Amino acid sequence: MAAHWRLAGAYLLSALLLSSVDFTHEWYSPLSTPEGPADWYSEVGLRNGAFVLGNHEPPGGRAHISAHLPEAFLLPVYAGAGPEGGGIFVAAWLACAVGWFVQMRRSSRRVSHHA
């Protein structure tokens, strides 16, 4: 049972760490509009406690790495779209919780098969 608590602690620390760093890559991805091309950027990575795949207005177009106090992206998943773009955000805590749940299920199955 103590191993389960150590595992939960490891996943909690992972969630805190993932919520404390930003690591994104942005690239120029202009939109085609009836008025002509519009400046727009795409982004992928980890930002503000969430895994991100989305689009945004300028400025952009670079790799970004920073550390900060933990930020909690409270929604587990968010997907949004607008007239020019959108994005998908998955909370780091959700990814860690799913990993912990899968690990717990696998370890309980191993224990039940050996009993």
Side-chain angles (χ1 to χ4, degrees):
M1 188 62 146
H4 293 293
W5 287 109
R6 283 194 302 270
L7 185 62
Y11 278 99
L12 180 61
L13 286 175
S14 297
L16 284 173
L17 175 65
L18 291 172
S19 299
S20 301
V21 296
D22 290 350
F23 181 74
T24 60
H25 177 70
E26 302 171 355
W27 62 94
Y28 184 63
S29 182
L31 293 174
S32 296
T33 66
E35 295 83 28
D39 286 341
W40 208 248
Y41 290 85
S42 293
E43 172 183 36
V44 65
L46 177 66
R47 179 171 43 93
N48 298 336
F51 294 98
V52 177
L53 174 63
N55 302 311
H56 63 86
E57 295 176 334
R62 61 184 172 87
H64 175 77
I65 301 172
S66 67
H68 48 77
L69 292 175
E71 295 186 38
F73 182 83
L74 299 178
L75 295 174
V77 176
Y78 173 79
E84 288 128 357
I88 298 172
F89 301 83
V90 177
W93 67 261
L94 177 64
C96 290
V98 168
W100 176 78
F101 180 77
V102 168
Q103 184 67 33
M104 294 301 293
R105 295 283 295 169
R106 290 179 69 205
S107 67
S108 68
R109 284 186 180 160
R110 272 187 258 142
V111 169
S112 68
H113 287 331
H114 294 292

